[in-house]
Amino acid sequence: MSILPAIHAFDTQPMRHRVVLITGGAQGIGRGIAQAVLSAGGSVMIGDLDSEAGHACLDEWQAGERAAFRQLDVSREASVQRWVKAALARFGTIHGLVNNAGIADPHQGPLHELSLATWNRYLGTNLTGAFLCSKHALPSLAAASGAIVNIASTRALQSEPDTEAYAASKGGLLALTHALAISAGPAVRVNAILPGWIATDAWQKPTARHRPKLSRRDRSQHPAGRVGTPEDIGALASYLLSDASGFVTGQSFVVDGGMTVKMQYA
């Protein structure tokens, strides 16, 4: 028998017959990931606080039985439990979870003026939400040899002033990622994506959708020559959720057009 490695045909539908749960999946990066999974042959259960946005996705996608929506508040355990239960009732299994939901505004003023309630709101949504969703989806993910993708941020690695709560919550996601990769492996792989500047203006619900206003400077400051799109994150997420990344776990991937490796002097 030959031990010569074979050339295998490239799978154009790597998510075929796979079910992926996506928090914050009705707008922005979450919607980009959901559409990437659908285009790769998978099915999605999106959860979002915004019901209008969620139902708009189903209307626009016209994906039939492969797409479902249920309102979700990731900071509330009962809401997470209902969402996971609904996904299992609809699809019967879970192959992937994308913890994307979060408070997007990083700027909250000087630390000495930051209230404990605001601090807890950031951590409760951006970090505790990922914990709760992972906790309740994990048994099904383990049974299906599934994968988790946490959406962090390059702000976990670098900061602007007055962004402590946001940065801490996203930094916590990186630690959660490698810790859970060890605890849940080898049954479940866990990785993180750190987006940089992603223009999500055109990926909102119809009533809030508009073309992004990007200047030449906005584009040129990125070594890649442009600002990112939700499709850039969706492409990597689909890979990390598929069997193609079967030897990848506990890792954090920066997708920022090269900004974090660019030396910047005033």
Side-chain angles (χ1 to χ4, degrees):
M1 179 182 294
S2 172
I3 62 170
L4 181 69
I7 297 176
H8 297 288
F10 179 75
D11 188 355
T12 59
Q13 295 276 281
M15 298 303 295
R16 189 188 299 107
H17 307 310
R18 289 176 176 260
V19 177
V20 179
L21 277 58
I22 304 167
T23 70
Q27 300 188 93
I29 287 174
R31 177 166 180 158
I33 294 171
Q35 292 189 191
V37 171
L38 288 169
S39 69
S43 299
V44 297
M45 166 65 93
I46 58 173
D48 205 290
L49 274 173
D50 194 323
S51 292
E52 179 188 348
H55 291 299
C57 285
L58 301 186
D59 292 341
E60 293 179 330
W61 290 340
Q62 292 294 298
E65 293 299 311
R66 293 200 296 127
F69 165 74
R70 185 183 178 102
Q71 191 174 41
L72 170 68
D73 182 347
V74 297
S75 69
R76 298 183 178 275
E77 188 163 18
S79 180
V80 171
Q81 289 177 296
R82 289 192 296 267
W83 184 61
V84 172
K85 185 177 180 179
L88 289 170
R90 173 68 177 268
F91 296 107
T93 188
I94 301 170
H95 300 93
L97 168 66
V98 179
N99 288 310
N100 166 74
I103 301 170
D105 180 13
H107 298 277
Q108 285 297 314
L111 185 66
H112 68 276
E113 297 177 359
L114 184 66
S115 70
L116 180 59
T118 299
W119 171 270
N120 286 337
R121 187 166 61 91
Y122 271 81
L123 268 67
T125 301
N126 296 6
L127 182 56
T128 302
F131 151 68
L132 289 173
C133 291
S134 299
K135 171 185 174 180
H136 291 288
L138 198 58
S140 297
L141 287 167
S145 298
I148 296 173
V149 175
N150 294 321
I151 305 302
S153 169
T154 51
R155 290 177 184 271
L157 306 177
Q158 54 182 182
S159 292
E160 292 178 300
D162 305 327
T163 60
E164 283 79 10
Y166 185 89
S169 68
K170 292 301 186 177
L173 270 179
L174 299 192
L176 177 65
T177 295
H178 63 68
L180 187 54
I182 300 303
S183 301
V188 179
R189 296 180 299 103
V190 188
N191 293 287
I193 299 175
L194 287 68
W197 183 350
I198 306 297
T200 61
D201 311 71
W203 294 75
Q204 306 302 313
K205 60 187 177 183
T207 55
R209 192 175 297 161
H210 58 90
R211 294 185 181 278
K213 296 179 179 180
L214 300 170
S215 68
R216 181 178 297 178
R217 183 182 180 184
D218 293 336
R219 298 183 180 92
S220 64
Q221 69 177 303
H222 289 79
R226 64 176 176 86
V227 173
T229 71
E231 292 164 311
D232 294 316
I233 309 304
L236 179 55
S238 290
Y239 165 72
L240 293 173
L241 292 163
S242 75
D243 285 341
S245 61
F247 197 53
V248 181
T249 193
Q251 303 304 306
S252 300
F253 298 87
V254 173
V255 183
D256 71 342
M259 286 293 287
T260 53
V261 298
K262 179 182 178 182
M263 297 184 74
Q264 301 182 49
Y265 295 107

